[in-house]
Amino acid sequence: MSRNRRNGRTRRTGFQEPKRFIVVAMEGRATEPCYFDLFRTAREHPMQYKPVSNPKDKSRPSEVYDRLDLAFRAYERSRDEGWLVIDRDAWSEAELDDVCRRARASGYHVALSNPCFELWLYLHKRDNRQFADRHDCQRALGEVLANYSPDRKGSFDPQGLRDGIEAALERAAALDQHPDTPWPRHQVTRVYRLVRKLMSGPTTDNTGERLHS
């Protein structure tokens, strides 16, 4: 009889800690998925990024919630996290309030950008400036990010943003002066909260090279 058995202990062979999944449903079908590909998680790591597909191109906040809620049924709520990535855009305050209420009741997180997701990308390159609306923000991003244009939103290379992630985290967090509100009424992007989660473990770039530790 082995010493472990004599001591009342059984050695567990080949045991692996259960994986933790970060499940993300996004409003956009081009810009957001292109960017978040930066955080494709290494296979062996216990934290895995799982984007939710959007085959019918449904972008209303309520539709993003429904897609996440359906996809998240395959995961364990006690370990895993569900995230909605949505924009202020021209959606009504009532709809955004309702989606944030439903998300909170379900234990999901909301990474809302006001006016749009492109603000988060812009903060990788420049300090914040006030934008008139989402179109103004998208035009400004096209001036600082190679190969991005409002007409070809998914054509940019996300690798060009890698060096600016830490700066974007700092700039976005500094903008969020009222972090306890369900969603920001002023120009703020809360994508920084999701990116902090995704950076909590090693990820790889498209070549398999380690991106973050």
mmCIF file of all heavy atoms in Angstrom, residues 139-187:
data_model
loop_
_atom_site.group_PDB
_atom_site.id
_atom_site.type_symbol
_atom_site.label_atom_id
_atom_site.label_comp_id
_atom_site.label_asym_id
_atom_site.label_seq_id
_atom_site.Cartn_x
_atom_site.Cartn_y
_atom_site.Cartn_z
ATOM 1 N N ARG A 139 -14.714 58.962 -37.706
ATOM 2 C CA ARG A 139 -13.838 59.722 -38.611
ATOM 3 C C ARG A 139 -12.488 59.999 -37.964
ATOM 4 O O ARG A 139 -11.431 59.871 -38.600
ATOM 5 C CB ARG A 139 -14.519 61.032 -39.019
ATOM 6 C CG ARG A 139 -15.627 60.886 -40.041
ATOM 7 C CD ARG A 139 -16.036 62.229 -40.600
ATOM 8 N NE ARG A 139 -16.620 63.095 -39.568
ATOM 9 C CZ ARG A 139 -17.922 63.153 -39.302
ATOM 10 N NH1 ARG A 139 -18.782 62.397 -39.972
ATOM 11 N NH2 ARG A 139 -18.372 63.976 -38.369
ATOM 12 N N ALA A 140 -12.512 60.372 -36.685
ATOM 13 C CA ALA A 140 -11.263 60.659 -35.981
ATOM 14 C C ALA A 140 -10.406 59.402 -35.858
ATOM 15 O O ALA A 140 -9.173 59.464 -35.982
ATOM 16 C CB ALA A 140 -11.561 61.235 -34.601
ATOM 17 N N LEU A 141 -11.034 58.275 -35.624
ATOM 18 C CA LEU A 141 -10.271 57.025 -35.539
ATOM 19 C C LEU A 141 -9.597 56.715 -36.867
ATOM 20 O O LEU A 141 -8.448 56.245 -36.893
ATOM 21 C CB LEU A 141 -11.192 55.868 -35.139
ATOM 22 C CG LEU A 141 -10.530 54.500 -35.034
ATOM 23 C CD1 LEU A 141 -9.450 54.484 -33.954
ATOM 24 C CD2 LEU A 141 -11.576 53.410 -34.762
ATOM 25 N N GLY A 142 -10.278 56.991 -37.964
ATOM 26 C CA GLY A 142 -9.691 56.758 -39.275
ATOM 27 C C GLY A 142 -8.445 57.588 -39.525
ATOM 28 O O GLY A 142 -7.591 57.203 -40.344
ATOM 29 N N GLU A 143 -8.299 58.694 -38.797
ATOM 30 C CA GLU A 143 -7.121 59.547 -38.960
ATOM 31 C C GLU A 143 -5.909 59.043 -38.204
ATOM 32 O O GLU A 143 -4.776 59.421 -38.507
ATOM 33 C CB GLU A 143 -7.452 60.972 -38.498
ATOM 34 C CG GLU A 143 -8.532 61.656 -39.336
ATOM 35 C CD GLU A 143 -8.984 62.977 -38.723
ATOM 36 O OE1 GLU A 143 -8.453 63.329 -37.629
ATOM 37 O OE2 GLU A 143 -9.860 63.639 -39.315
ATOM 38 N N VAL A 144 -6.117 58.168 -37.221
ATOM 39 C CA VAL A 144 -4.998 57.723 -36.377
ATOM 40 C C VAL A 144 -4.738 56.222 -36.441
ATOM 41 O O VAL A 144 -3.697 55.756 -35.978
ATOM 42 C CB VAL A 144 -5.216 58.137 -34.902
ATOM 43 C CG1 VAL A 144 -5.297 59.651 -34.786
ATOM 44 C CG2 VAL A 144 -6.462 57.479 -34.312
ATOM 45 N N LEU A 145 -5.677 55.453 -37.013
ATOM 46 C CA LEU A 145 -5.517 54.001 -37.081
ATOM 47 C C LEU A 145 -5.449 53.556 -38.534
ATOM 48 O O LEU A 145 -6.404 53.731 -39.301
ATOM 49 C CB LEU A 145 -6.685 53.298 -36.374
ATOM 50 C CG LEU A 145 -6.661 51.763 -36.387
ATOM 51 C CD1 LEU A 145 -5.398 51.220 -35.728
ATOM 52 C CD2 LEU A 145 -7.903 51.203 -35.685
ATOM 53 N N ALA A 146 -4.325 52.999 -38.916
ATOM 54 C CA ALA A 146 -4.094 52.580 -40.306
ATOM 55 C C ALA A 146 -5.148 51.569 -40.754
ATOM 56 O O ALA A 146 -5.493 50.647 -40.015
ATOM 57 C CB ALA A 146 -2.699 51.982 -40.439
ATOM 58 N N ASN A 147 -5.648 51.787 -41.961
ATOM 59 C CA ASN A 147 -6.576 50.868 -42.642
ATOM 60 C C ASN A 147 -7.980 50.829 -42.036
ATOM 61 O O ASN A 147 -8.805 50.019 -42.463
ATOM 62 C CB ASN A 147 -6.018 49.439 -42.681
ATOM 63 C CG ASN A 147 -4.721 49.345 -43.457
ATOM 64 O OD1 ASN A 147 -4.565 49.998 -44.489
ATOM 65 N ND2 ASN A 147 -3.789 48.559 -42.954
ATOM 66 N N TYR A 148 -8.242 51.687 -41.064
ATOM 67 C CA TYR A 148 -9.618 51.768 -40.566
ATOM 68 C C TYR A 148 -10.349 52.882 -41.301
ATOM 69 O O TYR A 148 -9.803 53.979 -41.503
ATOM 70 C CB TYR A 148 -9.672 52.068 -39.062
ATOM 71 C CG TYR A 148 -11.092 52.325 -38.591
ATOM 72 C CD1 TYR A 148 -11.896 51.268 -38.188
ATOM 73 C CD2 TYR A 148 -11.637 53.614 -38.608
ATOM 74 C CE1 TYR A 148 -13.212 51.487 -37.798
ATOM 75 C CE2 TYR A 148 -12.947 53.843 -38.221
ATOM 76 C CZ TYR A 148 -13.728 52.779 -37.820
ATOM 77 O OH TYR A 148 -15.033 53.002 -37.448
ATOM 78 N N SER A 149 -11.582 52.608 -41.672
ATOM 79 C CA SER A 149 -12.455 53.663 -42.190
ATOM 80 C C SER A 149 -13.879 53.306 -41.808
ATOM 81 O O SER A 149 -14.213 52.116 -41.649
ATOM 82 C CB SER A 149 -12.337 53.801 -43.711
ATOM 83 O OG SER A 149 -13.046 52.761 -44.361
ATOM 84 N N PRO A 150 -14.752 54.290 -41.635
ATOM 85 C CA PRO A 150 -16.143 54.003 -41.269
ATOM 86 C C PRO A 150 -16.850 53.108 -42.282
ATOM 87 O O PRO A 150 -17.823 52.438 -41.935
ATOM 88 C CB PRO A 150 -16.779 55.393 -41.210
ATOM 89 C CG PRO A 150 -15.645 56.317 -40.908
ATOM 90 C CD PRO A 150 -14.471 55.738 -41.647
ATOM 91 N N ASP A 151 -16.361 53.098 -43.530
ATOM 92 C CA ASP A 151 -16.995 52.275 -44.557
ATOM 93 C C ASP A 151 -16.450 50.851 -44.586
ATOM 94 O O ASP A 151 -17.060 49.960 -45.182
ATOM 95 C CB ASP A 151 -16.795 52.910 -45.942
ATOM 96 C CG ASP A 151 -17.438 54.285 -46.026
ATOM 97 O OD1 ASP A 151 -18.511 54.469 -45.413
ATOM 98 O OD2 ASP A 151 -16.863 55.161 -46.690
ATOM 99 N N ARG A 152 -15.281 50.641 -43.971
ATOM 100 C CA ARG A 152 -14.657 49.304 -43.943
ATOM 101 C C ARG A 152 -14.187 49.047 -42.513
ATOM 102 O O ARG A 152 -12.999 48.966 -42.236
ATOM 103 C CB ARG A 152 -13.492 49.234 -44.932
ATOM 104 C CG ARG A 152 -13.910 49.371 -46.391
ATOM 105 C CD ARG A 152 -12.723 49.295 -47.337
ATOM 106 N NE ARG A 152 -11.817 50.444 -47.164
ATOM 107 C CZ ARG A 152 -10.619 50.362 -46.604
ATOM 108 N NH1 ARG A 152 -10.182 49.217 -46.116
ATOM 109 N NH2 ARG A 152 -9.865 51.439 -46.500
ATOM 110 N N LYS A 153 -15.110 48.884 -41.612
ATOM 111 C CA LYS A 153 -14.807 48.900 -40.186
ATOM 112 C C LYS A 153 -13.960 47.719 -39.727
ATOM 113 O O LYS A 153 -13.237 47.824 -38.744
ATOM 114 C CB LYS A 153 -16.105 48.947 -39.383
ATOM 115 C CG LYS A 153 -16.895 50.243 -39.594
ATOM 116 C CD LYS A 153 -18.155 50.253 -38.764
ATOM 117 C CE LYS A 153 -18.921 51.536 -38.968
ATOM 118 N NZ LYS A 153 -20.171 51.581 -38.167
ATOM 119 N N GLY A 154 -14.044 46.603 -40.421
ATOM 120 C CA GLY A 154 -13.283 45.436 -39.985
ATOM 121 C C GLY A 154 -12.008 45.209 -40.757
ATOM 122 O O GLY A 154 -11.422 44.125 -40.683
ATOM 123 N N SER A 155 -11.543 46.235 -41.480
ATOM 124 C CA SER A 155 -10.390 46.046 -42.354
ATOM 125 C C SER A 155 -9.053 46.376 -41.688
ATOM 126 O O SER A 155 -8.000 46.155 -42.271
ATOM 127 C CB SER A 155 -10.544 46.909 -43.613
ATOM 128 O OG SER A 155 -10.602 48.289 -43.256
ATOM 129 N N PHE A 156 -9.076 46.907 -40.469
ATOM 130 C CA PHE A 156 -7.829 47.303 -39.821
ATOM 131 C C PHE A 156 -7.136 46.089 -39.218
ATOM 132 O O PHE A 156 -7.747 45.036 -38.980
ATOM 133 C CB PHE A 156 -8.100 48.349 -38.728
ATOM 134 C CG PHE A 156 -8.898 47.824 -37.563
ATOM 135 C CD1 PHE A 156 -8.279 47.395 -36.395
ATOM 136 C CD2 PHE A 156 -10.285 47.771 -37.620
ATOM 137 C CE1 PHE A 156 -9.006 46.919 -35.322
ATOM 138 C CE2 PHE A 156 -11.027 47.298 -36.545
ATOM 139 C CZ PHE A 156 -10.391 46.864 -35.399
ATOM 140 N N ASP A 157 -5.835 46.245 -38.955
ATOM 141 C CA ASP A 157 -5.056 45.186 -38.331
ATOM 142 C C ASP A 157 -5.020 45.440 -36.825
ATOM 143 O O ASP A 157 -4.409 46.412 -36.386
ATOM 144 C CB ASP A 157 -3.636 45.163 -38.893
ATOM 145 C CG ASP A 157 -2.775 44.055 -38.291
ATOM 146 O OD1 ASP A 157 -3.302 43.287 -37.454
ATOM 147 O OD2 ASP A 157 -1.590 43.975 -38.650
ATOM 148 N N PRO A 158 -5.642 44.592 -36.016
ATOM 149 C CA PRO A 158 -5.672 44.851 -34.573
ATOM 150 C C PRO A 158 -4.292 44.829 -33.935
ATOM 151 O O PRO A 158 -4.105 45.392 -32.853
ATOM 152 C CB PRO A 158 -6.561 43.728 -34.027
ATOM 153 C CG PRO A 158 -6.464 42.634 -35.040
ATOM 154 C CD PRO A 158 -6.339 43.341 -36.361
ATOM 155 N N GLN A 159 -3.323 44.205 -34.601
ATOM 156 C CA GLN A 159 -1.974 44.180 -34.031
ATOM 157 C C GLN A 159 -1.406 45.593 -33.888
ATOM 158 O O GLN A 159 -0.550 45.841 -33.044
ATOM 159 C CB GLN A 159 -1.049 43.333 -34.914
ATOM 160 C CG GLN A 159 -1.466 41.876 -35.019
ATOM 161 C CD GLN A 159 -1.470 41.162 -33.676
ATOM 162 O OE1 GLN A 159 -0.627 41.430 -32.827
ATOM 163 N NE2 GLN A 159 -2.429 40.278 -33.469
ATOM 164 N N GLY A 160 -1.909 46.520 -34.687
ATOM 165 C CA GLY A 160 -1.461 47.905 -34.596
ATOM 166 C C GLY A 160 -1.908 48.606 -33.327
ATOM 167 O O GLY A 160 -1.465 49.728 -33.044
ATOM 168 N N LEU A 161 -2.768 47.942 -32.551
ATOM 169 C CA LEU A 161 -3.263 48.522 -31.300
ATOM 170 C C LEU A 161 -2.621 47.902 -30.065
ATOM 171 O O LEU A 161 -2.847 48.369 -28.951
ATOM 172 C CB LEU A 161 -4.786 48.345 -31.217
ATOM 173 C CG LEU A 161 -5.586 49.085 -32.287
ATOM 174 C CD1 LEU A 161 -7.037 48.607 -32.280
ATOM 175 C CD2 LEU A 161 -5.526 50.586 -32.072
ATOM 176 N N ARG A 162 -1.830 46.875 -30.262
ATOM 177 C CA ARG A 162 -1.283 46.143 -29.114
ATOM 178 C C ARG A 162 -0.510 47.041 -28.158
ATOM 179 O O ARG A 162 -0.689 46.961 -26.943
ATOM 180 C CB ARG A 162 -0.343 45.027 -29.604
ATOM 181 C CG ARG A 162 -1.042 43.884 -30.282
ATOM 182 C CD ARG A 162 -0.062 42.850 -30.788
ATOM 183 N NE ARG A 162 0.718 42.268 -29.708
ATOM 184 C CZ ARG A 162 1.654 41.348 -29.886
ATOM 185 N NH1 ARG A 162 1.952 40.937 -31.097
ATOM 186 N NH2 ARG A 162 2.306 40.847 -28.859
ATOM 187 N N ASP A 163 0.343 47.895 -28.701
ATOM 188 C CA ASP A 163 1.190 48.725 -27.843
ATOM 189 C C ASP A 163 0.408 49.791 -27.084
ATOM 190 O O ASP A 163 0.932 50.395 -26.151
ATOM 191 C CB ASP A 163 2.293 49.387 -28.665
ATOM 192 C CG ASP A 163 3.302 48.382 -29.201
ATOM 193 O OD1 ASP A 163 3.365 47.255 -28.663
ATOM 194 O OD2 ASP A 163 4.020 48.719 -30.168
ATOM 195 N N GLY A 164 -0.832 50.021 -27.478
ATOM 196 C CA GLY A 164 -1.615 51.066 -26.824
ATOM 197 C C GLY A 164 -2.632 50.567 -25.824
ATOM 198 O O GLY A 164 -3.396 51.365 -25.272
ATOM 199 N N ILE A 165 -2.644 49.272 -25.556
ATOM 200 C CA ILE A 165 -3.675 48.716 -24.670
ATOM 201 C C ILE A 165 -3.577 49.301 -23.261
ATOM 202 O O ILE A 165 -4.583 49.719 -22.671
ATOM 203 C CB ILE A 165 -3.591 47.181 -24.626
ATOM 204 C CG1 ILE A 165 -3.995 46.598 -25.992
ATOM 205 C CG2 ILE A 165 -4.496 46.629 -23.537
ATOM 206 C CD1 ILE A 165 -3.809 45.100 -26.100
ATOM 207 N N GLU A 166 -2.377 49.334 -22.700
ATOM 208 C CA GLU A 166 -2.226 49.855 -21.337
ATOM 209 C C GLU A 166 -2.645 51.316 -21.250
ATOM 210 O O GLU A 166 -3.297 51.737 -20.291
ATOM 211 C CB GLU A 166 -0.783 49.680 -20.866
ATOM 212 C CG GLU A 166 -0.345 48.231 -20.678
ATOM 213 C CD GLU A 166 -1.035 47.564 -19.491
ATOM 214 O OE1 GLU A 166 -1.677 48.270 -18.695
ATOM 215 O OE2 GLU A 166 -0.915 46.330 -19.374
ATOM 216 N N ALA A 167 -2.274 52.104 -22.259
ATOM 217 C CA ALA A 167 -2.672 53.517 -22.272
ATOM 218 C C ALA A 167 -4.186 53.645 -22.361
ATOM 219 O O ALA A 167 -4.796 54.491 -21.689
ATOM 220 C CB ALA A 167 -2.001 54.240 -23.443
ATOM 221 N N ALA A 168 -4.818 52.806 -23.183
ATOM 222 C CA ALA A 168 -6.274 52.850 -23.317
ATOM 223 C C ALA A 168 -6.951 52.487 -22.004
ATOM 224 O O ALA A 168 -7.961 53.102 -21.624
ATOM 225 C CB ALA A 168 -6.719 51.904 -24.430
ATOM 226 N N LEU A 169 -6.424 51.507 -21.303
ATOM 227 C CA LEU A 169 -6.990 51.129 -20.005
ATOM 228 C C LEU A 169 -6.951 52.303 -19.031
ATOM 229 O O LEU A 169 -7.932 52.587 -18.329
ATOM 230 C CB LEU A 169 -6.221 49.945 -19.421
ATOM 231 C CG LEU A 169 -6.435 48.589 -20.093
ATOM 232 C CD1 LEU A 169 -5.411 47.578 -19.585
ATOM 233 C CD2 LEU A 169 -7.850 48.082 -19.836
ATOM 234 N N GLU A 170 -5.822 52.991 -18.984
ATOM 235 C CA GLU A 170 -5.685 54.126 -18.071
ATOM 236 C C GLU A 170 -6.607 55.272 -18.472
ATOM 237 O O GLU A 170 -7.277 55.884 -17.619
ATOM 238 C CB GLU A 170 -4.231 54.594 -18.059
ATOM 239 C CG GLU A 170 -3.267 53.585 -17.440
ATOM 240 C CD GLU A 170 -1.832 54.071 -17.460
ATOM 241 O OE1 GLU A 170 -1.610 55.238 -17.867
ATOM 242 O OE2 GLU A 170 -0.933 53.304 -17.066
ATOM 243 N N ARG A 171 -6.641 55.580 -19.766
ATOM 244 C CA ARG A 171 -7.464 56.699 -20.230
ATOM 245 C C ARG A 171 -8.947 56.423 -20.024
ATOM 246 O O ARG A 171 -9.704 57.311 -19.587
ATOM 247 C CB ARG A 171 -7.173 56.963 -21.706
ATOM 248 C CG ARG A 171 -5.795 57.552 -21.968
ATOM 249 C CD ARG A 171 -5.395 57.429 -23.427
ATOM 250 N NE ARG A 171 -4.115 58.081 -23.705
ATOM 251 C CZ ARG A 171 -3.340 57.808 -24.743
ATOM 252 N NH1 ARG A 171 -3.736 56.888 -25.636
ATOM 253 N NH2 ARG A 171 -2.199 58.437 -24.922
ATOM 254 N N ALA A 172 -9.380 55.207 -20.329
ATOM 255 C CA ALA A 172 -10.801 54.882 -20.195
ATOM 256 C C ALA A 172 -11.227 54.865 -18.731
ATOM 257 O O ALA A 172 -12.316 55.353 -18.388
ATOM 258 C CB ALA A 172 -11.086 53.534 -20.851
ATOM 259 N N ALA A 173 -10.399 54.313 -17.866
ATOM 260 C CA ALA A 173 -10.734 54.280 -16.440
ATOM 261 C C ALA A 173 -10.829 55.693 -15.872
ATOM 262 O O ALA A 173 -11.695 55.986 -15.030
ATOM 263 C CB ALA A 173 -9.703 53.458 -15.676
ATOM 264 N N ALA A 174 -9.940 56.581 -16.321
ATOM 265 C CA ALA A 174 -9.960 57.965 -15.842
ATOM 266 C C ALA A 174 -11.228 58.689 -16.292
ATOM 267 O O ALA A 174 -11.726 59.584 -15.587
ATOM 268 C CB ALA A 174 -8.724 58.703 -16.339
ATOM 269 N N LEU A 175 -11.774 58.322 -17.442
ATOM 270 C CA LEU A 175 -12.998 58.948 -17.946
ATOM 271 C C LEU A 175 -14.230 58.527 -17.148
ATOM 272 O O LEU A 175 -15.216 59.269 -17.072
ATOM 273 C CB LEU A 175 -13.223 58.568 -19.412
ATOM 274 C CG LEU A 175 -12.447 59.316 -20.491
ATOM 275 C CD1 LEU A 175 -12.788 58.727 -21.853
ATOM 276 C CD2 LEU A 175 -12.758 60.801 -20.457
ATOM 277 N N ASP A 176 -14.190 57.339 -16.581
ATOM 278 C CA ASP A 176 -15.367 56.759 -15.936
ATOM 279 C C ASP A 176 -15.518 57.322 -14.521
ATOM 280 O O ASP A 176 -15.222 56.659 -13.531
ATOM 281 C CB ASP A 176 -15.224 55.239 -15.917
ATOM 282 C CG ASP A 176 -16.548 54.533 -15.685
ATOM 283 O OD1 ASP A 176 -17.582 55.236 -15.592
ATOM 284 O OD2 ASP A 176 -16.550 53.290 -15.608
ATOM 285 N N GLN A 177 -16.027 58.532 -14.448
ATOM 286 C CA GLN A 177 -16.140 59.234 -13.176
ATOM 287 C C GLN A 177 -17.316 58.753 -12.325
ATOM 288 O O GLN A 177 -17.383 59.047 -11.136
ATOM 289 C CB GLN A 177 -16.287 60.739 -13.433
ATOM 290 C CG GLN A 177 -15.068 61.366 -14.093
ATOM 291 C CD GLN A 177 -13.843 61.336 -13.182
ATOM 292 O OE1 GLN A 177 -13.903 61.790 -12.034
ATOM 293 N NE2 GLN A 177 -12.739 60.801 -13.680
ATOM 294 N N HIS A 178 -18.247 58.028 -12.943
ATOM 295 C CA HIS A 178 -19.416 57.526 -12.207
ATOM 296 C C HIS A 178 -19.550 56.031 -12.493
ATOM 297 O O HIS A 178 -20.500 55.581 -13.151
ATOM 298 C CB HIS A 178 -20.678 58.280 -12.632
ATOM 299 C CG HIS A 178 -20.569 59.765 -12.437
ATOM 300 N ND1 HIS A 178 -20.673 60.358 -11.195
ATOM 301 C CD2 HIS A 178 -20.328 60.774 -13.322
ATOM 302 C CE1 HIS A 178 -20.517 61.669 -11.320
ATOM 303 N NE2 HIS A 178 -20.298 61.947 -12.596
ATOM 304 N N PRO A 179 -18.616 55.228 -11.990
ATOM 305 C CA PRO A 179 -18.549 53.809 -12.353
ATOM 306 C C PRO A 179 -19.700 52.966 -11.841
ATOM 307 O O PRO A 179 -19.879 51.838 -12.307
ATOM 308 C CB PRO A 179 -17.218 53.362 -11.731
ATOM 309 C CG PRO A 179 -16.996 54.306 -10.587
ATOM 310 C CD PRO A 179 -17.534 55.621 -11.057
ATOM 311 N N ASP A 180 -20.485 53.475 -10.898
ATOM 312 C CA ASP A 180 -21.569 52.684 -10.328
ATOM 313 C C ASP A 180 -22.888 52.824 -11.086
ATOM 314 O O ASP A 180 -23.859 52.131 -10.769
ATOM 315 C CB ASP A 180 -21.783 53.062 -8.865
ATOM 316 C CG ASP A 180 -20.578 52.713 -7.993
ATOM 317 O OD1 ASP A 180 -19.890 51.730 -8.322
ATOM 318 O OD2 ASP A 180 -20.326 53.432 -7.010
ATOM 319 N N THR A 181 -22.947 53.701 -12.068
ATOM 320 C CA THR A 181 -24.172 53.840 -12.847
ATOM 321 C C THR A 181 -24.335 52.642 -13.775
ATOM 322 O O THR A 181 -23.351 52.039 -14.209
ATOM 323 C CB THR A 181 -24.132 55.130 -13.688
ATOM 324 O OG1 THR A 181 -22.979 55.101 -14.543
ATOM 325 C CG2 THR A 181 -24.071 56.359 -12.786
ATOM 326 N N PRO A 182 -25.573 52.266 -14.114
ATOM 327 C CA PRO A 182 -25.782 51.113 -14.997
ATOM 328 C C PRO A 182 -25.093 51.259 -16.348
ATOM 329 O O PRO A 182 -24.561 50.292 -16.894
ATOM 330 C CB PRO A 182 -27.305 51.055 -15.145
ATOM 331 C CG PRO A 182 -27.833 51.718 -13.915
ATOM 332 C CD PRO A 182 -26.848 52.809 -13.603
ATOM 333 N N TRP A 183 -25.111 52.477 -16.908
ATOM 334 C CA TRP A 183 -24.383 52.748 -18.141
ATOM 335 C C TRP A 183 -24.035 54.234 -18.175
ATOM 336 O O TRP A 183 -24.722 55.056 -17.573
ATOM 337 C CB TRP A 183 -25.180 52.327 -19.376
ATOM 338 C CG TRP A 183 -26.529 52.956 -19.540
ATOM 339 C CD1 TRP A 183 -27.724 52.529 -19.006
ATOM 340 C CD2 TRP A 183 -26.845 54.129 -20.308
ATOM 341 N NE1 TRP A 183 -28.751 53.362 -19.376
ATOM 342 C CE2 TRP A 183 -28.243 54.346 -20.196
ATOM 343 C CE3 TRP A 183 -26.101 55.013 -21.095
ATOM 344 C CZ2 TRP A 183 -28.901 55.398 -20.819
ATOM 345 C CZ3 TRP A 183 -26.744 56.069 -21.724
ATOM 346 C CH2 TRP A 183 -28.116 56.256 -21.577
ATOM 347 N N PRO A 184 -22.942 54.597 -18.844
ATOM 348 C CA PRO A 184 -22.470 55.992 -18.811
ATOM 349 C C PRO A 184 -23.300 56.915 -19.681
ATOM 350 O O PRO A 184 -23.497 56.662 -20.862
ATOM 351 C CB PRO A 184 -21.031 55.880 -19.332
ATOM 352 C CG PRO A 184 -21.028 54.659 -20.176
ATOM 353 C CD PRO A 184 -22.000 53.711 -19.543
ATOM 354 N N ARG A 185 -23.756 58.013 -19.091
ATOM 355 C CA ARG A 185 -24.537 59.015 -19.836
ATOM 356 C C ARG A 185 -23.644 59.967 -20.616
ATOM 357 O O ARG A 185 -24.114 60.659 -21.513
ATOM 358 C CB ARG A 185 -25.397 59.813 -18.857
ATOM 359 C CG ARG A 185 -26.855 59.385 -18.761
ATOM 360 C CD ARG A 185 -27.065 57.976 -18.334
ATOM 361 N NE ARG A 185 -28.499 57.698 -18.147
ATOM 362 C CZ ARG A 185 -28.992 56.540 -17.750
ATOM 363 N NH1 ARG A 185 -28.173 55.522 -17.487
ATOM 364 N NH2 ARG A 185 -30.301 56.356 -17.622
ATOM 365 N N HIS A 186 -22.384 60.022 -20.259
ATOM 366 C CA HIS A 186 -21.450 60.919 -20.946
ATOM 367 C C HIS A 186 -20.428 60.099 -21.718
ATOM 368 O O HIS A 186 -20.481 58.866 -21.732
ATOM 369 C CB HIS A 186 -20.763 61.827 -19.927
ATOM 370 C CG HIS A 186 -21.729 62.639 -19.108
ATOM 371 N ND1 HIS A 186 -22.450 63.675 -19.628
ATOM 372 C CD2 HIS A 186 -22.096 62.528 -17.802
ATOM 373 C CE1 HIS A 186 -23.217 64.206 -18.692
ATOM 374 N NE2 HIS A 186 -23.029 63.524 -17.573
ATOM 375 N N GLN A 187 -19.499 60.774 -22.376
ATOM 376 C CA GLN A 187 -18.526 60.091 -23.231
ATOM 377 C C GLN A 187 -17.579 59.234 -22.398
ATOM 378 O O GLN A 187 -16.638 59.724 -21.786
ATOM 379 C CB GLN A 187 -17.739 61.123 -24.044
ATOM 380 C CG GLN A 187 -16.763 60.472 -25.035
ATOM 381 C CD GLN A 187 -16.233 61.440 -26.044
ATOM 382 O OE1 GLN A 187 -16.991 62.025 -26.814
ATOM 383 N NE2 GLN A 187 -14.925 61.643 -26.050
#
